[in-house]
Amino acid sequence: MALMLCDAKTDDCGRELAQHGCAQFPVACYHDDLTGTPVPWHWHTELEVLVVSEGTAVVAAGTQRFILRQGEGAFVNSGVLHAAWSHGQPVCRLHSAVFHPRLVGGGPDSIFWTGYLQPLIEAQRQECVCFDGSELWHREAVQAVEAAWISCAQEPPGYEFWTRDALSRLVFLLSSHQPDTRMPRSGKALREEGRVKLMLEYIRSHYTSELSTAAIAHSAMVSESECLRCFRSIIGQTPIQYVIQYRVQKAAELLSASELSVSEIGARCGFQDASYFSKTFRTLKGCAPSEYRKKIAERAGRLLPQEAAQAADREGTWGGAAKHS
């Protein structure tokens, strides 16, 4: 089954851990409900395409921010830090597909790879492309994304062919409308993104310990002021705000999947004061830790075991990006 629930688990570098599809058919399609579960900052080597199916979403890629309305979409290139959240709408959902370039590019000696995929992946000015209708070909691009997604969702006979065909048409459109290659991304933008990846790795490896802006900055060999500037430029918040939200995210995961006490969970996630942990958790999640655990348990009780596990994982997905655009 190629259609899956969104579950953006990441490693210590913020790189997504999920395998998208399988070696024989390296693509997976997702139905993302951003209303209460934003997609956290992450990156992967695969290409990603999406279309907003309901509401209005903010899609962030590197330093870019796009507001996408229903029927609009976007392409995110390989290795690009990105996230998505609701743009203050009561309902916000999107269809997304993540696929390895070899699905449509074949091997490195193929004309599809050398003529289309490789130039697209290496196009520094094309880290993210918004299909907002400002150009005539955007409508065709959105239709290609939806065609690929529907094929995966419905799995008619030969759906693998139809999915690959739709994504091939999309790659051709992107390749045919690349921006001027004489205008590469600035060295500054590339350095910023590289530094943020290093600092995210450090935070996710040391969130249980006391952290300071100075220590985070040192992990990327930059000054505190440069650290603050990079975070504000790409993530849209300070390093310490990110740390707090990441700790709350890890606490939510433990509340969903363990029987540890609330105070022990807080301590394990870097909160040394139980009352501060409870207050911070309530601010970011809208309820106290014990209430959150009760809601997860009640929801799980109404679902089949497999659905309950998926729901708990989704509830635990880090939603910090929703607070900062």
Side-chain angles (χ1 to χ4, degrees), residues 148-159:
W149 193 89
I150 291 172
S151 292
C152 282
Q154 298 180 352
E155 293 190 344
Y159 78 95

Side-chain angles (χ1 to χ4, degrees), residues 97-170:
V98 182
F99 63 100
H100 195 282
R102 73 172 182 273
L103 177 69
V104 297
D109 297 328
S110 165
I111 184 59
F112 302 108
W113 183 272
T114 59
Y116 300 95
L117 263 300
Q118 188 173 12
L120 177 63
I121 293 171
E122 294 177 354
Q124 295 181 353
R125 294 282 295 180
Q126 211 159 359
E127 63 175 3
C128 183
V129 180
C130 179
F131 309 137
D132 59 2
S134 59
E135 297 188 39
L136 293 176
W137 65 277
H138 287 176
R139 179 178 177 83
E140 189 176 352
V142 169
Q143 290 173 343
V145 177
E146 284 286 56
W149 193 89
I150 291 172
S151 292
C152 282
Q154 298 180 352
E155 293 190 344
Y159 78 95
E160 297 93 343
F161 286 107
W162 316 134
T163 301
R164 186 177 64 175
D165 175 68
L167 293 175
S168 295
R169 285 188 279 118
L170 178 66

